Amino acid sequence: MTKPSKLGPVTKVVDPQELYQAITQASSQNPAEVHASSKRVEELLDYFGTFDGLHEIAATRSVPLPVRKQSIIQFKNKALNHWRSRKLLSDEQRVRIRSRCMAFFDEEDDTIAECNEVIVAKIARQDYPTNWPSLLADIMDVIRANLEVCDSPNSDPRSTLALRRGLALLNSVLKEFSGVKLLAGVNTMINIVDQLHEVMFAYYSKLSSMISALVPLALSDQRTADNLIVAHFIYKCLVKMALWLWPRLAQPEGGFAKLEPWFSQLFQSSTGQLKILSELRFNLVLALRASGASDRLTLLSVDRLTRHVLVFGKFFRRLQQLKPDKFVQLPTGNQIVLYYWDRVVQATSGPPELIQDAPTAVFPVRFLLQAMVLFKENLSRWTPFRKGGPKTETSIDCLWELWPCADESRPALSQEFVEDAVRLLVTRFIPLNLADLEGWMSDPEEWVNLEDKENDQWEYELRPCGERVLMTLSSQYKVYVTPLLETTFKQIIAQPTVDSASVIQKEALYCAIGRCATHLREVIPFSQWLQHNLLAEARETNQYYPIIKRRIAWLIGKWISDMCSPANDPNVWDILNHLLRDRGPGTDSVVRLTAATALRECVDTVNFDIDVFVPYLPTAVTELVKLMGEADTMEAKQRLAKSLNAVIECAGPRITPHAQMISEGIPQLWTAAGEEWLFKAELLVVVTSLVSAMKEQSSLNGLIVPLVQDGLSPGVAINLDEDALNLWLAAVRNSSSLGYAGGPGLLDLVPLAVSLLSNNLDLLGKIVSIVESCLFVDAPAVLQSFAQPLMNAFVKALTGQAIMTNQKDILVCLQFLAQLAPATLWGQAMHFAGLFSHIINLLNHDESSPILLTECIYLLARIALADRQMFLQLVSATAETMNVPEAKIWEAVLDHWWRQFDHMSEPRHRKLAALGIASLVSTGRPEVLDRLPNEIFNLWTDVFFEVKESRSLAENEDASPLTLHWDLDQVPQSYYADSENTIEFNRRKTFLDNDPVRTTQLTNYVAAALQEAERTCGGIHIFNLYISKTDPTLLKQLQNELQGE
């Protein structure tokens, strides 16, 4: 065995016998052996030589098949990610593995062959052409040699197998390289296409002529089945190359233009071949149905022919998706799309059983879907009303004749053609079929769930696909479609609807009207229709009427949500409420669930009028809660919760009388949901909306507290943390107190906030907001119980890995805290937690962010304004803790007070700094007074100049309001922290209005501080020693400001 490279750490070398034994046990049918060996296999995958050994086991035909399968699967899953690893593979082993890959052409097991295809493609992406230059030639040699043998009269099944494997391998390599975006990979792909495009086209041309001559008797011949699968693989390779080339043909560089003639030839040949094969298949299947032939080879041949026909549709659709504008300009492109549509028309002219989702059907569903999607996407290119489009109409027959010579103008569809298409869709594809009705009856909730997913699945189901084609026709040809639907509408609504056929057809028309609502709103009198027809139909007890009632609910929701009519007609709510609560004959759960969704769509509109809806609110809420309890699937419950949430949000405070009824049902739903996190998240959203709507009238703490605690508990928080935090924040912001007389209160959640603040960096921003909101509600109550743990949590967050934004938020929160509660409640805790020490360390750290330093100065100013003696105590205690003189603390504080002043852009912050330093001046501390002549006086004069204030004349000057000439604009929106439409917004506004920065006149405050400092420092003579160092001009300027001159 090859020895591992000596570079890097030593890697263990695998023992081939042990590896074989482990893989054999892993392939056993005995679960105990599989379990025992799985761990050892995982360990061996990190040994040198394991990958080579696995590949050798897989390539050895004498090894039992399950062991070979296990080996190649392990290799495919693990080795490809470490193909370049020198620890696990040597160059010699890579050469051997690449050589063995070419030994699987005659592999009979499909699993092993398919794994080899993936392995070759992934290795080729890394090694071809540099380290594996012979790859393409080796594959093509196998294909060429076996293709010649298969063409001979005495073909060998082994040659057919090798040919299939070789083509599948080539297809896999082409698929891999077509996805490479880097220039080297693109260059490799263009070289591959250069080598293969002509020869592969020639191979397919030869086989396609043989397939086109098939007769029914030949379908039971093995050679026919072999030719079909070989042709299919060859064409798939051609498609891979063509699709890769298609978006690049317009690029002038890269050598792509030379391949454009080949691409055009392939496309035109494909359109012609599709017509031939489609007609051939149609006739063959009809002949087989008539003869009743159903032997294995015949069915296999039909299946392969069907697959081959479908690959043409995939090719055309992908071309259309990649370059829709260029697709319609391709020669024969429009003809083939209209040919597809003609097959749709042909399918509907026969009995319904001809259309089935089976390869042996006369009209397979997948084929018709391809036809309808291609037709839908091309419609906008044919409309006569598009800018730059044709001036005259052209019928479908003329289109076939004129297109080859129509270079400038693009032909349009005639009115007759469009109207026929609409009639076909409304009568054959849009109506509910037997399978739909059976699904409805067997599992109503799942049926509704699938119907709601139609927007994602419309390309894979005939009915939703037909609806999308109708919508496109209505949009592009509205002058034809709108009058037709209007006329049909007037005819249908006047006719009696008593049997199942008429009910289903009326449901299809209602569906068509809803899908085309935006184009019909001017011609259909919706209010009259509601009053004269839909009200009565919604109350009909006919056994077939759930079909219509469900569509009525859907139609109303669609019409209102598309803004075709405002939601201010009482009949809308009358019908929806009736459909929600009706449990008599002529209705079922599908109707109720659809009505719930329609209710949400109607209330969640711009023109929703709550005054019209209020009389219907009690029934709507009651029935939605009731339906949530009755629903079996979580998906249905989740949809109902969304509807309830929409009603709550739109009702606002008017939901209050029904809040208790809603809240009483939540705990049972929550418990029953188990680990259905999406539904639980929706329940949290419902309660959040309820709290926000009720505001201070909320008495839901008994529900909120356990929901938040459960939503943020270990194992649950990863799924529900965001919604639980949103509920918590909404509850605090809309509460007038943190306590609750009858049970748990929001104050009980503060320990949880403290814990998250300390330990959860991901949620830190939202947790800080919650703590801040709690302080605005009742800061003293919070601090009386949790001051020390809260301060400890703040310090842990600030000193941890919190991002700067979160650190800033914490400092802002602390600024509010200093204002909202007496210093006696937070001062000692601040010191014991080391918060003040941390701020001093930030000030002393050269690399601290200016943003954080500025916020630190704001906090220090707030502390000084709140309680200057507490400030002095904190300085003294911090100096003792840090074992430095107090002067060092003062130096750091005062240096940055001056330095950060230039970083303060808002006048209110600059005034705060001036007020804070004035408070410190009043203490008479010599460290502060030493700064008076220069820094402090300059700071004050700057602020005096910027901040102009005056008091209105009044008998009591102190009681008169202060006019802030500097604060004409509102504070930044960030101050309110997204609290609009909550009680907290008013709290913040009142708090702002009473802020000393806004209520205290700076000049008076500074004058009083200077007088206090004079008294504190020992009198006028000592005070003058500090003042005398001031520049006379500056001193004069300051005196003038203080005297109001």
Side-chain angles (χ1 to χ4, degrees):
M1 174 168 287
T2 306
K3 294 182 179 180
S5 169
K6 293 183 179 180
L7 296 175
V10 176
T11 305
K12 294 180 180 179
V13 179
V14 74
D15 178 357
Q17 294 300 322
E18 183 187 6
L19 177 63
Y20 182 82
Q21 184 66 30
I23 289 295
T24 302
Q25 290 180 347
S27 311
S28 169
Q29 298 297 313
N30 185 342
E33 286 189 7
V34 173
H35 180 74
S37 64
S38 60
K39 184 177 180 180
R40 185 54 183 161
V41 170
E42 285 293 326
E43 293 172 353
L44 291 175
L45 289 171
D46 293 327
Y47 283 32
F48 179 83
T50 296
F51 294 147
D52 185 39
L54 286 171
H55 201 260
E56 186 175 2
I57 293 170
T60 305
R61 304 298 171 91
S62 59
V63 172
L65 184 59
V67 179
R68 294 180 63 215
K69 284 185 178 181
Q70 182 68 226
S71 296
I72 202 165
I73 290 171
Q74 290 286 353
F75 184 92
K76 175 180 71 73
N77 292 343
K78 303 294 183 180
L80 299 178
N81 294 328
H82 302 281
W83 180 247
R84 297 281 177 87
S85 171
R86 298 176 65 184
K87 287 176 56 180
L88 303 175
L89 282 164
S90 66
D91 289 339
E92 294 86 350
Q93 290 174 346
R94 293 188 188 92
V95 171
R96 287 203 298 269
I97 291 170
R98 288 193 291 261
S99 176
R100 280 193 221 103
C101 285
M102 297 292 103
F104 288 92
F105 286 109
D106 58 347
E107 176 59 54
E108 295 184 358
D109 184 75
D110 288 340
T111 300
I112 294 176
E114 289 166 6
C115 286
N116 187 58
E117 292 167 18
V118 175
I119 291 167
V120 171
K122 296 296 182 183
I123 294 176
R125 182 167 183 157
Q126 301 181 62
D127 287 4
Y128 179 82
T130 307
N131 296 322
W132 201 356
S134 65
L135 169 65
L136 209 58
D138 291 345
I139 296 175
M140 291 307 296
D141 286 345
V142 171
I143 292 173
R144 189 180 302 108
N146 288 285
L147 198 57
E148 291 174 359
V149 173
C150 291
D151 286 342
S152 64
N154 301 317
S155 61
D156 185 351
R158 288 177 298 178
S159 297
T160 304
L161 177 63
L163 181 57
R164 282 174 50 204
R165 299 296 189 216
L167 289 167
L169 193 59
L170 179 62
N171 182 61
S172 184
V173 171
L174 288 170
K175 181 179 180 181
E176 186 68 29
F177 275 103
S178 65
V180 178
K181 304 298 181 185
L182 296 178
L183 182 60
V186 173
N187 290 335
T188 301
M189 184 64 180
I190 191 67
N191 290 330
I192 293 174
V193 174
D194 278 338
Q195 295 178 57
L196 299 182
H197 70 282
E198 290 183 350
V199 64
M200 296 300 287
F201 187 82
Y203 289 160
Y204 183 74
S205 298
K206 186 175 180 180
L207 279 171
S208 64
S209 60
M210 297 168 57
I211 295 172
S212 302
L214 282 178
V215 294
L217 290 176
L219 291 176
S220 59
D221 188 351
Q222 179 66 51
R223 188 168 180 177
T224 299
D226 293 341
N227 285 341
L228 283 167
I229 195 64
V230 169
H232 181 65
F233 274 119
I234 293 175
Y235 188 74
K236 286 182 72 174
C237 293
L238 288 169
V239 167
K240 292 288 188 306
M241 292 187 282
L243 289 175
W244 180 83
L245 195 60
W246 172 235
R248 296 172 171 83
L249 287 177
Q251 298 178 9
E253 69 283 346
F256 304 113
K258 64 184 179 182
L259 292 168
E260 187 167 2
W262 171 81
F263 177 87
S264 297
Q265 182 186 15
L266 173 66
F267 180 78
Q268 292 183 62
S269 300
S270 297
T271 58
Q273 182 71 359
L274 181 276
K275 296 174 192 174
I276 293 170
L277 292 178
S278 176
E279 297 296 335
L280 174 67
R281 185 193 170 282
F282 176 77
N283 293 326
L284 288 174
V285 173
L286 284 180
L288 290 176
R289 289 169 67 91
S291 65
S294 60
D295 60 280
R296 184 190 67 83
L297 275 176
T298 299
L299 295 178
L300 179 63
S301 296
V302 172
D303 178 70
R304 289 177 173 178
L305 178 59
T306 303
R307 287 169 58 195
H308 191 47
V309 169
L310 291 175
V311 83
F312 284 87
K314 290 181 180 179
F315 177 42
F316 300 144
R317 174 61 179 143
R318 190 64 186 139
L319 290 175
Q320 189 185 56
Q321 287 176 317
L322 290 172
K323 291 280 185 179
D325 291 334
K326 296 291 183 183
F327 180 76
V328 294
Q329 296 175 8
L330 285 171
T332 69
N334 290 282
Q335 289 96 319
I336 198 60
V337 172
L338 285 171
Y339 173 81
Y340 268 110
W341 181 254
D342 195 42
R343 300 287 71 73
V344 174
V345 176
Q346 183 184 13
T348 57
S349 62
E353 56 267 20
L354 296 183
I355 302 174
Q356 294 178 8
D357 190 10
T360 55
V362 177
F363 295 103
V365 167
R366 290 180 62 192
F367 178 78
L368 295 179
L369 284 169
Q370 288 179 343
M372 294 168 75
V373 172
L374 284 166
F375 179 71
K376 171 190 175 297
E377 295 301 321
N378 258 31
L379 277 174
S380 61
R381 309 296 160 187
W382 297 335
T383 172
F385 311 107
R386 189 171 56 83
K387 184 178 180 181
K391 305 301 181 192
T392 58
E393 294 183 0
T394 307
S395 70
I396 186 170
D397 298 323
C398 295
L399 180 56
W400 288 97
E401 298 168 2
L402 295 180
W403 179 253
C405 61
D407 297 324
E408 298 296 331
S409 64
R410 293 174 179 174
L413 302 180
S414 68
Q415 180 175 356
E416 180 185 2
F417 179 91
V418 172
E419 290 181 348
D420 287 345
V422 171
R423 291 189 186 96
L424 181 146
L425 292 168
V426 175
T427 57
R428 291 302 302 268
F429 287 108
I430 294 180
L432 296 171
N433 56 37
L434 183 61
D436 292 320
L437 297 176
E438 288 175 351
W440 179 330
M441 297 303 294
S442 62
D443 193 345
E445 289 186 21
E446 183 59 24
W447 192 84
V448 173
N449 293 339
L450 293 174
E451 285 292 297
D452 278 1
K453 292 176 182 175
E454 279 183 358
N455 288 333
D456 302 324
Q457 303 293 324
W458 68 269
E459 289 192 51
Y460 308 103
E461 297 286 344
L462 279 177
R463 183 161 53 85
C465 186
E467 293 174 12
R468 294 329 184 272
V469 176
L470 175 64
M471 291 165 66
T472 306
L473 280 168
S474 175
S475 175
Q476 302 297 334
Y477 292 86
K478 54 188 174 184
V479 296
Y480 302 156
V481 177
T482 299
L484 176 63
L485 289 178
E486 179 189 8
T487 302
T488 308
F489 166 76
K490 291 177 179 177
Q491 293 171 349
I492 293 291
I493 63 168
Q495 296 175 1
T497 312
V498 291
D499 58 352
S500 61
S502 59
V503 164
I504 288 173
Q505 195 54 59
K506 177 176 277 192
E507 188 272 346
L509 177 63
Y510 284 8
C511 174
I513 292 171
R515 290 296 182 194
C516 306
T518 53
H519 303 294
L520 296 173
R521 58 186 176 187
E522 301 297 333
V523 299
I524 290 185
F526 187 68
S527 295
Q528 296 177 31
W529 187 21
L530 283 172
Q531 183 176 357
H532 299 302
N533 301 93
L534 298 185
L535 269 173
E537 289 177 349
R539 286 170 167 75
E540 178 61 56
T541 57
N542 186 305
Q543 61 175 330
Y544 301 118
Y545 259 65
I547 295 172
I548 287 185
K549 290 181 180 180
R550 172 247 169 193
R551 185 57 76 182
I552 288 173
W554 174 90
L555 173 65
I556 291 174
K558 190 74 178 161
W559 195 276
I560 301 296
S561 63
D562 283 351
M563 310 300 289
C564 298
S565 292
N568 55 13
D569 188 336
N571 288 327
V572 167
W573 309 120
D574 194 356
I575 292 174
L576 292 180
N577 262 8
H578 174 76
L579 296 178
L580 266 178
R581 69 171 179 264
D582 184 22
R583 283 168 170 75
T587 189
D588 63 9
S589 59
V590 170
V591 175
R592 291 188 285 273
L593 290 171
T594 308
T597 301
L599 186 70
R600 182 186 75 238
E601 292 173 336
C602 291
V603 299
D604 193 16
T605 55
V606 175
N607 297 320
F608 173 72
D609 188 343
I610 183 61
D611 293 324
V612 177
F613 182 64
V614 163
Y616 304 92
L617 180 60
T619 302
V621 171
T622 302
E623 294 303 324
L624 287 173
V625 173
K626 187 176 180 181
L627 283 172
M628 268 201 290
E630 293 175 349
D632 295 323
T633 65
M634 286 299 162
E635 200 166 353
K637 290 177 183 288
Q638 188 179 338
R639 191 179 300 106
L640 290 163
K642 287 182 179 179
S643 296
L644 178 60
N645 184 60
V647 170
I648 293 170
E649 286 183 342
C650 294
R654 303 194 192 197
I655 200 68
T656 303
H658 317 291
Q660 184 176 355
M661 185 269 297
I662 296 172
S663 62
E664 285 175 351
I666 299 294
Q668 184 178 353
L669 292 169
W670 180 271
T671 303
E675 294 186 357
E676 295 289 342
W677 306 121
L678 292 176
F679 178 54
K680 282 193 163 184
E682 205 61 51
L683 289 177
L684 290 173
V685 172
V686 167
V687 180
T688 302
S689 297
L690 196 59
V691 169
S692 301
M694 295 172 64
K695 294 188 169 43
E696 70 266 41
Q697 300 176 40
S698 175
S699 57
L700 301 176
N701 289 349
L703 174 64
I704 294 166
V705 172
L707 284 180
V708 171
Q709 290 172 334
D710 195 12
L712 294 172
S713 60
V716 177
I718 191 173
N719 300 289
L720 299 177
D721 54 5
E722 185 176 351
D723 296 295
L725 289 174
N726 287 337
L727 170 58
W728 190 356
L729 184 60
V732 176
R733 285 184 165 175
N734 289 286
S735 292
S736 53
S737 72
L738 297 177
Y740 180 53
L746 296 175
L747 194 63
D748 297 331
L749 291 174
V750 174
L752 177 59
V754 169
S755 173
L756 294 172
L757 199 60
S758 302
N759 304 312
N760 198 317
L761 287 175
D762 295 332
L763 306 178
L764 190 56
K766 186 60 73 72
I767 290 296
V768 172
S769 297
I770 290 170
V771 171
E772 189 174 291
S773 294
C774 287
L775 294 175
F776 269 104
V777 178
D778 194 346
V782 173
L783 294 174
Q784 282 169 4
S785 302
F786 307 106
Q788 196 60 61
L790 182 59
M791 287 296 177
N792 292 340
F794 278 139
V795 172
K796 188 172 181 181
L798 287 169
T799 56
Q801 300 298 314
I803 60 174
M804 190 179 70
T805 301
N806 289 340
Q807 291 188 52
K808 178 186 174 184
D809 291 342
I810 290 172
L811 292 171
V812 170
C813 183
L814 287 166
Q815 294 166 35
F816 288 131
L817 181 148
Q819 301 171 76
L820 288 163
T824 53
L825 291 178
W826 48 259
Q828 187 180 51
M830 187 177 286
H831 169 64
F832 286 151
L835 180 59
F836 202 85
S837 300
H838 175 67
I839 292 172
I840 300 303
N841 287 331
L842 278 178
L843 298 179
N844 285 323
H845 199 279
D846 293 336
E847 296 183 2
S848 295
S849 163
I851 295 175
L852 290 183
L853 291 175
T854 305
E855 293 296 336
C856 287
I857 298 303
Y858 296 156
L859 175 57
L860 294 175
R862 287 296 182 186
I863 295 173
L865 269 180
D867 192 328
R868 66 194 71 171
Q869 292 306 315
M870 180 60 72
F871 193 100
L872 297 179
Q873 291 176 35
L874 286 169
V875 170
S876 175
T878 301
E880 184 177 345
T881 301
M882 299 176 70
N883 197 24
V884 297
E886 287 189 35
K888 285 290 185 183
I889 306 295
W890 283 109
E891 181 181 358
V893 171
L894 296 171
D895 281 351
H896 278 282
W897 210 296
W898 174 246
R899 289 176 193 169
Q900 302 313 315
F901 183 67
D902 286 339
H903 294 120
M904 302 175 188
S905 58
E906 293 184 48
R908 64 191 181 103
H909 287 148
R910 293 169 74 84
K911 182 180 176 182
L912 171 62
L915 288 169
I917 202 69
S919 180
L920 296 182
V921 166
S922 69
T923 63
R925 291 286 304 193
E927 297 89 349
V928 181
L929 297 182
D930 279 340
R931 307 284 182 124
L932 269 177
N934 297 307
E935 296 170 9
I936 296 177
F937 280 171
N938 275 305
L939 186 153
W940 281 342
T941 52
D942 281 355
V943 179
F944 288 152
F945 179 76
E946 298 166 5
V947 177
K948 297 298 182 183
E949 303 170 331
S950 64
R951 287 196 182 276
S952 304
L953 295 177
E955 292 183 6
N956 183 356
E957 186 172 313
D958 291 337
S960 61
L962 183 65
T963 303
L964 307 176
H965 304 288
W966 53 270
D967 194 29
L968 298 179
D969 296 328
Q970 294 292 322
V971 292
Q973 205 63 27
S974 59
Y975 168 82
Y976 292 103
D978 298 322
S979 63
E980 291 82 354
N981 301 315
T982 68
I983 302 174
E984 183 176 311
F985 181 83
N986 298 327
R987 281 197 286 261
R988 285 179 179 264
K989 191 172 186 309
T990 303
F991 179 77
L992 179 66
D993 292 339
N994 294 317
D995 187 350
V997 175
R998 298 175 64 84
T999 59
T1000 302
Q1001 188 165 357
L1002 180 59
T1003 51
N1004 290 350
Y1005 192 86
V1006 169
L1010 289 172
Q1011 292 172 7
E1012 180 69 20
E1014 181 183 314
R1015 290 192 296 272
T1016 308
C1017 72
I1020 186 65
H1021 300 295
I1022 298 175
F1023 188 66
N1024 282 336
L1025 294 176
Y1026 297 106
I1027 299 296
S1028 61
K1029 301 173 186 178
T1030 309
D1031 178 83
T1033 305
L1034 177 61
L1035 187 60
K1036 179 64 175 174
Q1037 185 180 355
L1038 183 66
Q1039 289 171 344
N1040 290 340
E1041 289 288 349
L1042 294 177
Q1043 294 168 6
E1045 296 180 6

